[in-house]
Structure formats: structure tokens, C-alpha cells
Amino acid sequence: MTPAINTAKKQNISHIIHQYVHDVKATSYGIEAAEKLAVDPKNIFKTLVVSLDDGRLAVAVIPVLDKLSMKSVAKALAAKKAVMADKVLVERTTGYVLGGVSPLGQKKSLLTVLDQSAQALDTLYVSAGKRGLEIELKPSDLIKLTRGKFASISQLI
């Protein structure tokens, strides 16, 4: 069990765990998950941690095929600027390794924004806390568990 899975279980949130053998040569963890789980990539979301200009860290959850709009995520979080957070700081703050960062069960609860495109989905997949492990749940349940919000924060690559 990972902290992400334990968080969903503790709150009695309906979810499904999906596991696959992670290839260390994979360059995109999200695309790898979509391929190995035979799931449409639009249902797989990646968890990105950003650093805001006021020093706060925040989580942006977007479709794996999209690019995070730094301007949009900063605006959604009432900040002037956002940049990708330092990887060492991400791992220390969340308790997860890169490629396995989950929006759930982080060591320190961070502000969370889920791309509004998720609202059109019945379920989405996010990392369950380690490479090769995904948790499928309703977007509204992810918002509930993270105390997050929906906003338009991504753009197609």
C-alpha cells in the first residue's frame, strides 16, 4: 500500500488500482502507463509540482499529452508566476520519487489544481505513488481528497 492508496481507502472513495511493470528506459511515465494499461491517454493524468513566486509549492494535474501553462496555473493559484519546482524539493515535500508523484497522500498537503478537461471524464488515472502503479477514480473524488479545484491549466503540445 502507498500513502495515495491509503488516502482513498481511509476516505471510502471508490477506486481501482492498476499495476504494470515499469520500464526504466521509458521516457514518459504517463504514455508508458497508457500503453501498458491499454487506456486512452486522455484518461491518464500527470502530477506536476510547481513553485510559485511567493514561495509556495502547488500541484498541477494535467493530461499526459498536454503541456502545463505556467501562466494559467499561476493565475489559478492567485500567484504572479509559476515555475517547475526543484526535483529534490518535490521528492522531499511529497514523499514520492519523480515519475511516481501522486496528488494523493503527500507528506505535506499542497494546493492542488486539476485541469478542467477532467470534468468531462467518468474516471481518470493518476499515479498511486510509485512508478508502475496507477489509481483510477472520479475527478470529483480527486478534488475532494486533495481539497483542490478545477481550472484551465493545460494546452495541447
Side-chain angles (χ1 to χ4, degrees):
M1 276 321 138
T2 65
I5 296 168
N6 290 339
T7 298
K9 283 187 173 193
K10 188 192 293 187
Q11 296 297 319
N12 293 317
I13 296 295
S14 178
H15 64 281
I16 301 170
I17 303 303
H18 301 273
Q19 193 165 5
Y20 60 92
V21 177
H22 167 62
D23 180 353
V24 295
K25 296 176 189 162
T27 56
S28 169
Y29 301 113
I31 299 298
E32 178 191 27
E35 290 172 355
K36 292 202 172 171
L37 297 174
V39 173
D40 188 332
K42 74 177 176 63
N43 290 69
I44 307 280
F45 281 62
K46 57 188 170 186
T47 305
L48 304 172
V49 180
V50 297
S51 181
L52 303 174
D53 59 320
D54 60 8
R56 295 178 295 160
L57 291 180
V59 174
V61 185
I62 65 170
V64 296
L65 296 178
D66 289 6
K67 178 181 176 185
L68 180 61
S69 166
M70 293 298 180
K71 188 174 183 177
S72 297
V73 76
K75 182 179 177 183
L77 295 166
K80 292 179 183 169
K81 187 177 177 186
V83 296
M84 291 303 297
D86 174 75
K87 71 178 192 173
V88 173
L89 184 58
V90 169
E91 292 180 349
R92 186 173 53 232
T93 304
T94 65
Y96 295 118
V97 298
L98 293 185
V101 176
S102 178
L104 302 171
Q106 297 176 355
K107 281 179 19 180
K108 182 179 179 188
S109 184
L110 301 175
L111 297 169
T112 301
V113 182
L114 175 57
D115 189 69
Q116 72 179 10
S117 64
Q119 291 177 293
L121 303 173
D122 292 330
T123 63
L124 57 76
Y125 295 65
V126 294
S127 175
K130 68 180 205 178
R131 297 172 188 157
L133 194 63
E134 297 283 311
I135 184 169
E136 178 184 2
L137 68 166
K138 293 179 184 175
S140 58
D141 286 337
L142 181 58
I143 291 294
K144 177 182 174 183
L145 290 171
T146 61
R147 296 184 313 278
K149 67 179 185 176
F150 290 105
S152 179
I153 58 170
S154 71
Q155 56 198 33
L156 288 174
I157 296 175

